[in-house]
Structures are given as C-alpha cells and as structure tokens.
Amino acid sequence: MLEKIYYLCFGPSIYGKFTDDNYEMTTIEYLGSNLVKFFKGIRCCATTLFPITFYWYYKQTQGFTNITSIVNHICIIFLFYGLRTLGRAFNGEYWKMINLLLDHYKNPEDVNVLHKLLAYDIDISSLHGIDPKPNTNLWIPDSPMPAERFSPRAILAYICINTFGLRMVYPGSVSLLYALCEGHFHGCRREMFRSRNIERVERYPVSTVEGNIIDVVLLADRRNKGECVIVCDGNAGLYEGFMSKSFVEAGYDVIIWNPPGFGQSTGVPYPLQVMNAVNAVYALAKNVLNYDPLVYGWSIGGFPATWLAANYKIRTLFIDASFDSLLPLAKAVMPNSMENVVEYAVGRYFNMPVSEQLSRHKGNVVIFRRRFDEMIVTDRSSLEASLLSNRGNFLLRDFLHARYSFINWTSTDDLTFFKYLHATEEQRKSIDEFQHSDSMPKSLEEFRNFSSQKRAKFICALTSYHFRDLDLGHNVPLPVDATFQPNAVKIPFALQDNNTEENHQS
C-alpha cells in the first residue's frame, strides 16, 4: 500500500488517453497538477539561469540564514504535491494506471501489461525500456581534437558547452522550452494516435546501452508499400511536430523518435548518446518489428542518419537540408576571437563528421538542398550568398569524391560540379539529357579517354542522380513526390576502389 501511495504522490502524470474515451481529472487533481506544473516551470527557469537565481535566492534568504523563509517555500511545494495526490486518490482511472504500472515494474517483459499501460498518454521515461538487442560492435568516429587538461582553451570550451553551447546545438533539449509547449505536444501526440488516416500507431519505450529511455512511435499506413522509414529529426524538432508526414502520405510505414533529452526521452544529446539512441531505434525496427528500413535525416538529423548508414546496409538514405560538418556553422555564429575555442569545443564535444560517415555508406543516397535554407548557411548577406555557402553543397561534393573516387577529381571537375549546382532548371535539363546509366565507362582507360566535354557531362549526370533541389525554406516538410527511391547507380567492378573496407553490418 505504501508503494501505491508513493506513486500517487510522485507517479507519472496522465495527459490523456489514446483511445476514444478521454482521461478526466478531478477538480482537485486538475488544480494540483497545474500548481506542480507551475513549480516545475519555475525550477526549469531557475536551472537555466542558475547563477542569477542562486544569487537572488541567497539574497532573499539573507545568505541562507532565514530558515523561516526556506521552510515556507518547502511547505508551498508540499502543498502543491499534496493537492495533486489528494485529487489522484479520488480518481479511479489513476488507480488503474498505478496497478498497471506496478505490474509492469514487477514483470517488465510482459508485453500485454505494457500495451495496456501505453493506452495512457503518460511520461514514457517512467517505464522500463524494451531492449531491442542492438549491435554494439560498431564504428564510431574518432574525435579530431585530443584532450587538453587544464589548458585555458579546454577550460573555456568546457564552460561554453555546458552553459550555452549544448542549448545552441540542440535547442529542443532545453527543458524550459519544452515546458512552455508541453500542452501543445501532448495534444499533437494524441491527435496522431487518433488519426483515421493511419491504420496503426504504436508507442515503444526503447532502452539504450547507457540506460536512456527513448520515446519511439511506429506509424503504420494502410496503403503500406512494404517499406519502412526511420526519420531522424532536426535539432529543435520533436516527433510530435510530425515533420515525417510526407512519408506517411506517400504510403510508407514510419518510425519516429525523440533524441536523448528531447520531450520524454531521457539523457543528454551528446553525439555518443545520439548514436546509441538511433542504434537502439534501428535494432527495434530490425529485430522487433522485422523491417529492413530506409533512413531519412533532416537537418542535424543527418548526423545519426549517416552514422547508421556507415555501420549498416541501408538500401536508401535520404539526407535533407543537412551539412558536411558542424564546425563551419559554429564558426559562422561565433566571434572570430573565439575561433580557437570553437574548434576545440566542437571537435571535442560535438564532433559530427557527416561527410566522413556518408563516405562509408555503399547504398543509395539522395541529398536534398533547399534553395531558401536559412539555417545551414555561413553567409546570410543575400540569397545568392546563402545558396553558395549552403553546407549541403559541400556534403554532396565530399560524397561524390568518395563514392566515385575513380574520377580522380580535379579543381576543374569541382568547378563543373558547382556550376551545375548553381545552374537554372532549364540549364540542368539540357545537361541531364546525358544518361549516365547508359554511358558509365567500363574501365578506367575508357574513362580517361573521355573528352573534357563528355567528362563534364558525366560529372553533372552523377550529381543529378544524387541531388534534388527544392524551392523551400529549412523548416518546411518534404514534398510527398520527393520520397521516391531512384534505382542505384551500378559501378563496374573495374572502377571500384578495391582498398575500401566493408564496415557494414547486416
């Protein structure tokens, strides 16, 4: 009984139900829940502005000597939680949830109990995660920046990362922002589950090797093509925002997930935790749900997406509005005087070598560039400057250099590539008449005998196969007609790099 009383007081909130009948709070529970939510909001603000709030509270309590004031504040918090507990005690539906929760804790492997529990819209971090048995023998990129102990640069980089750096890279993990929009996200999630256009929606708490719980949702479409897509969202995108709807509308089954520290997923979105999270999501898709998934990475989601592709045999990889490396973007928003610190901080704490990871992938690749992208550019002085400085250009270039290394790329070839990227649609159409599938050289000797004009057209044709230009801004959902999978380019064996090691797992 004491265990049930504890969960009445500190158990997860029920935000609603995913069935047609909704969860109704008692009046006292509603009042107490809102007061607790208010307290948590204050706590988020205090944590975000810790040095300021610490100093303010120190002054308010006369250097922590005003015991009466401190006790009063503690009593107010107890009152908030007490009201919520009393309200829950008179709600039969909450007692049902507690009984299911305790059954789940006693037998975490019981899928039926978990399924009943997940009929409630509750905080998924309070549940035991499913262990999808992910592969742990995987390639992880090395940090390009060796550790420097107690150097001024290392100390300053550590302070910057742990004050504002993490929040700049992953604003979606800021608890204060989530607290402000929490009600909206809960409503979007319930709307998604009740959608009549989606045949089946299932939610999974998935555990990672660190013990984080990742909030994962499967959207199964009634027009299923037999294909599934894992969607990796951006640095402020939660799956409740439904950026993945294009793939759902196109008839794919879709797996969406919140990275560590986002929404109800636990952890902090440092690169290693993000890699372990997406690895667990992939293992869920492969080992539990029996899919052979495609992968879509939008914006910073290109990092976990390409890491998956570097380690597994992903048939088609969609990279949308992403970048080659985080460093150029970080330098663009920081003062020049901080360049040395930025290089160390990014290299040590947020190394995201998207180009390197993509170069290890052997499957199909489609890279989308958004002409009006305002986020992954380093020069915002004009539209043309933004287009030229879009880091997606450099990601595509690095990929082509790695995938078609037999070309032995020269500065002239790179100039041809960039001219094609910045050509108009009409100019590209005339170039695209050259069909690379029919004109792939059979040997290096044949390729070396190409005229300069034929070589340039060949490079443009390869670029056109992997490149899609969209007249969109950064935060607009991908058009449905952009989700098709092109046929793979077949490279003759004589042109392949025989020194390349196969690092992919099946």
Side-chain angles (χ1 to χ4, degrees):
M1 189 62 188
L2 287 176
E3 196 174 22
K4 291 185 178 181
I5 292 173
Y6 172 82
Y7 285 109
L8 270 179
C9 189
F10 301 110
S13 296
I14 299 179
Y15 305 109
K17 293 180 73 175
F18 295 127
T19 53
D20 290 333
D21 57 319
N22 211 342
Y23 174 76
E24 297 293 338
M25 288 187 181
T26 63
T27 304
I28 299 175
E29 183 184 3
Y30 178 80
L31 176 62
S33 294
N34 279 288
L35 289 172
V36 169
K37 190 182 294 185
F38 173 75
F39 162 68
K40 287 182 177 179
I42 295 295
R43 188 182 64 187
C44 287
C45 291
T47 304
T48 305
L49 306 171
F50 176 72
I52 299 170
T53 51
F54 180 83
Y55 177 74
W56 175 84
Y57 197 71
Y58 179 84
K59 297 291 284 184
Q60 285 291 109
T61 57
Q62 285 127 38
F64 304 121
T65 59
N66 189 344
I67 304 300
T68 304
S69 179
I70 295 173
V71 170
N72 286 339
H73 294 154
I74 293 173
C75 287
I76 290 171
I77 295 169
F78 271 102
L79 175 64
F80 291 174
Y81 277 89
L83 282 171
R84 187 178 72 169
T85 302
L86 184 63
R88 287 175 171 180
F90 287 99
N91 192 328
E93 194 71 42
Y94 197 86
W95 280 106
K96 288 181 184 177
M97 191 278 292
I98 286 181
N99 290 329
L100 286 170
L101 188 65
L102 292 177
D103 289 343
H104 169 67
Y105 288 160
K106 289 173 186 172
N107 188 6
E109 303 299 322
D110 192 328
V111 178
N112 291 327
V113 172
L114 181 60
H115 181 73
K116 291 176 183 177
L117 194 53
L118 289 173
Y120 295 96
D121 184 6
I122 62 173
D123 191 339
I124 207 164
S125 62
S126 62
L127 307 181
H128 287 294
I130 297 169
D131 180 9
K133 304 291 189 296
N135 188 347
T136 55
N137 185 27
L138 300 174
W139 171 80
I140 293 175
D142 294 325
S143 170
M145 200 62 64
E148 297 178 7
R149 291 192 174 184
F150 307 116
S151 72
R153 177 171 78 159
I155 294 170
L156 190 55
Y158 179 84
I159 293 171
C160 290
I161 287 295
N162 288 280
T163 51
F164 63 87
L166 175 63
R167 295 168 177 82
M168 285 182 68
V169 177
Y170 280 107
S173 67
V174 177
S175 54
L176 177 59
L177 294 178
Y178 181 72
L180 292 172
C181 304
E182 189 176 20
H184 170 71
F185 288 130
H186 295 322
C188 288
R189 186 163 55 244
R190 288 194 295 276
E191 184 181 340
M192 186 187 301
F193 271 75
R194 294 171 178 172
S195 173
R196 302 299 180 191
N197 298 321
I198 303 172
E199 183 179 16
R200 190 172 85 256
V201 183
E202 296 174 354
R203 196 180 187 196
Y204 299 91
V206 179
S207 61
T208 69
V209 293
E210 299 111 340
N212 288 335
I213 301 296
I214 304 302
D215 190 0
V216 184
V217 169
L218 166 68
L219 307 172
D221 194 273
R222 59 169 58 92
R223 301 160 298 164
N224 187 7
K225 294 180 172 185
E227 295 283 13
C228 175
V229 180
I230 294 176
V231 172
C232 303
D233 251 319
N235 66 349
L238 283 79
Y239 73 64
E240 290 89 346
F242 210 17
M243 280 292 287
S244 57
K245 65 180 181 181
S246 304
F247 287 97
V248 174
E249 291 172 3
Y252 292 90
D253 287 358
V254 178
I255 294 175
I256 49 182
W257 57 286
N258 282 335
F262 279 55
Q264 295 178 6
S265 293
T266 63
V268 182
Y270 286 113
L272 184 59
Q273 291 193 37
V274 172
M275 287 186 281
N276 286 330
V278 77
N279 190 31
V281 173
Y282 180 81
L284 176 80
K286 195 83 172 175
N287 301 338
V288 179
L289 302 176
N290 297 315
Y291 285 114
D292 182 16
L294 315 178
V295 178
Y296 168 74
W298 169 61
S299 191
I300 207 170
F303 165 64
T306 54
W307 181 80
L308 266 187
N311 284 285
Y312 295 100
K313 293 178 180 178
I314 306 297
R315 287 174 295 124
T316 299
L317 175 66
F318 299 95
I319 300 298
D320 183 11
S322 195
F323 49 83
D324 55 333
S325 170
L326 186 63
L327 185 58
L329 298 172
K331 284 182 176 180
V333 298
M334 295 297 288
N336 292 334
S337 58
M338 293 283 289
E339 183 173 335
N340 197 29
V341 176
V342 170
E343 287 180 355
Y344 183 85
V346 172
R348 192 71 196 156
Y349 299 103
F350 280 104
N351 179 38
M352 297 185 183
V354 178
S355 281
E356 180 187 355
Q357 292 174 173
L358 187 58
S359 70
R360 299 172 72 92
H361 174 54
K362 306 304 176 189
N364 226 354
V365 176
V366 179
I367 297 177
F368 298 100
R369 182 186 68 173
R370 298 174 177 232
R371 295 180 64 85
F372 303 107
D373 200 312
E374 68 283 6
M375 299 302 295
I376 59 162
V377 299
T378 55
D379 186 350
R380 297 176 175 84
S381 59
S382 66
L383 180 59
E384 185 178 357
S386 294
L387 199 58
L388 288 169
S389 66
N390 188 307
R391 298 311 302 185
N393 299 338
F394 303 93
L395 173 63
L396 179 59
R397 180 200 62 185
D398 294 346
F399 165 71
L400 292 174
H401 280 207
R403 176 64 63 91
Y404 305 105
S405 56
F406 66 86
I407 290 178
N408 289 325
W409 295 74
T410 65
S411 57
T412 303
D413 296 330
D414 283 345
L415 184 61
T416 300
F417 163 77
F418 280 109
K419 279 183 177 179
Y420 179 83
L421 288 192
H422 305 310
T424 63
E425 286 298 320
E426 290 74 20
Q427 291 169 330
R428 284 185 194 148
K429 283 177 182 176
S430 63
I431 297 171
D432 290 346
E433 290 174 2
F434 180 89
Q435 296 298 317
H436 56 83
S437 57
D438 298 329
S439 305
M440 178 71 74
K442 301 298 185 293
S443 65
L444 282 174
E445 184 179 358
E446 182 183 346
F447 176 73
R448 287 170 183 152
N449 289 330
F450 274 10
S451 65
S452 57
Q453 186 179 14
K454 191 173 182 181
R455 180 185 177 102
K457 285 188 175 183
F458 181 65
I459 288 170
C460 292
L462 289 176
T463 304
S464 72
Y465 170 76
H466 296 286
F467 172 69
R468 303 287 183 273
D469 216 6
L470 305 174
D471 289 329
L472 300 174
H474 188 78
N475 295 308
V476 181
L478 188 71
V480 176
D481 59 5
T483 62
F484 73 93
Q485 298 179 69
N487 295 321
V489 175
K490 300 293 184 182
I491 305 177
F493 180 77
L495 298 176
Q496 295 181 27
D497 185 356
N498 295 323
N499 295 322
T500 301
E501 296 182 5
E502 291 290 342
N503 297 297
H504 298 73
Q505 307 289 330
S506 60

